[in-house]
Amino acid sequence: MYGLVNKAIHDMVCARFGEETWNEIQRKAEVEIDTFISMESYPDDLTHRLVKAASLVLDLPASAIMQAFGEFWVQYTSEEGYGELMAMSGDTLPEFLQNLDDLHTRVGVSFPKLQPPSFACEELEEQTLHLHYHSHRDGLAPMVVGLVKGLGTHLNTDVEVTQTQSKSDGADHDEFTIQYNPN
Ligand SMILES: O=C(O)CCCCN(CCc1ccccc1OCc1ccc(-c2ccc(Oc3ccccc3)cc2)cc1)Cc1ccc(C(=O)O)cc1
């Protein structure tokens, strides 16, 4: 993952729990890096160790940490220089989700080490979406729930997200049903 992800985790923990708690998490994760370089690529394992350590230190399930991070990521990237990229990706939830792969393609042009997931979205019925999430990374489905919630906030839309299929149950990809209602 690019360092931007680990930097965002650092910034979220420091903003919500303070620098001392971050230092404890960093120690427990056995991560010696003090400052993550956004444009550097780091092993995914480092990010997983940070989430696991945060779960232990904060006494929260890793899924809750990943969901909170997904929600934080949308606002964080909008403020950290990707606001235009996000703005051009859509004004409604279905539009944004349908443009997510294009968004990643755009980022990937400048940053070739990006290894993005793939999202496919269809409108089942009025204000109900079905989201397919394909990734070579495992265990990040709770982050996707948070990302969709973060998009709801970003797009001023109420969302209810339910995972309907799970790779961890043996399916080949994760699926979600999203009820959404623009405010
Ligand atoms: O891999 C998985 O299965 C789950 C990954 C979920 C994280 N994605 C979230 C995608 C997303 C979903 C909903 C709403 C917004 C979303 O992201 C918007 C976005 C996506 C990528 C970036 C991005 C920009 C620059 C990056 O790298 C940099 C950073 C600074 C300087 C140079 C390169 C890395 C990611 C910014 C905003 C973004 C992403 C972040 C990093 C990577 C990667 O490093 O491979 C791949 C994807």
Side-chain angles (χ1 to χ4, degrees):
M1 296 265 214
Y2 270 98
L4 183 69
V5 173
N6 299 323
K7 186 175 175 304
I9 295 173
H10 165 273
D11 292 1
M12 180 178 81
V13 169
C14 290
R16 297 188 184 176
F17 302 100
E19 192 82 25
E20 195 30 55
T21 301
W22 165 257
N23 293 335
E24 211 184 323
I25 290 168
Q26 197 185 351
R27 272 194 303 275
K28 195 173 277 290
E30 295 176 1
V31 167
E32 267 82 52
I33 300 156
D34 277 332
T35 315
F36 291 104
I37 314 292
S38 291
M39 62 172 35
E40 204 139 302
S41 192
Y42 296 84
D44 287 0
D45 172 60
L46 190 153
T47 307
H48 285 292
R49 293 201 324 262
L50 285 173
V51 171
K52 190 164 180 323
S55 169
L56 293 169
V57 168
L58 300 174
D59 193 21
L60 288 167
S63 56
I65 307 266
M66 284 190 274
Q67 183 171 319
F69 179 67
E71 225 164 323
F72 178 81
W73 173 261
V74 176
Q75 184 217 334
Y76 182 81
T77 49
S78 302
E79 290 163 3
E80 290 290 317
Y82 299 94
E84 262 170 61
L85 180 78
M86 304 280 274
M88 73 166 62
S89 296
D91 302 325
T92 67
L93 190 64
E95 224 183 289
F96 197 106
L97 292 172
Q98 265 140 20
N99 292 331
L100 250 183
D101 286 9
D102 290 350
L103 180 155
H104 280 124
T105 304
R106 279 198 194 93
V107 173
V109 165
S110 320
F111 310 120
K113 286 191 190 150
L114 196 80
Q115 296 175 298
S118 174
F119 293 91
C121 171
E122 65 236 357
E123 189 117 24
L124 296 178
E125 56 191 84
E126 199 56 22
Q127 297 186 327
T128 305
L129 299 172
H130 204 57
L131 179 68
H132 301 264
Y133 159 60
H134 293 260
S135 176
H136 70 280
R137 298 187 174 100
D138 291 331
L140 296 181
M143 183 179 172
V144 175
V145 173
L147 287 162
V148 174
K149 287 175 179 252
L151 279 177
T153 306
H154 180 71
L155 298 168
N156 207 6
T157 300
D158 292 330
V159 297
E160 285 288 320
V161 194
T162 316
Q163 184 163 1
T164 51
Q165 185 176 282
S166 175
K167 251 175 37 172
S168 52
D169 293 344
D172 76 319
H173 70 284
D174 295 306
E175 285 183 23
F176 305 84
T177 296
I178 304 164
Q179 307 277 348
Y180 70 100
N181 186 17
N183 291 331

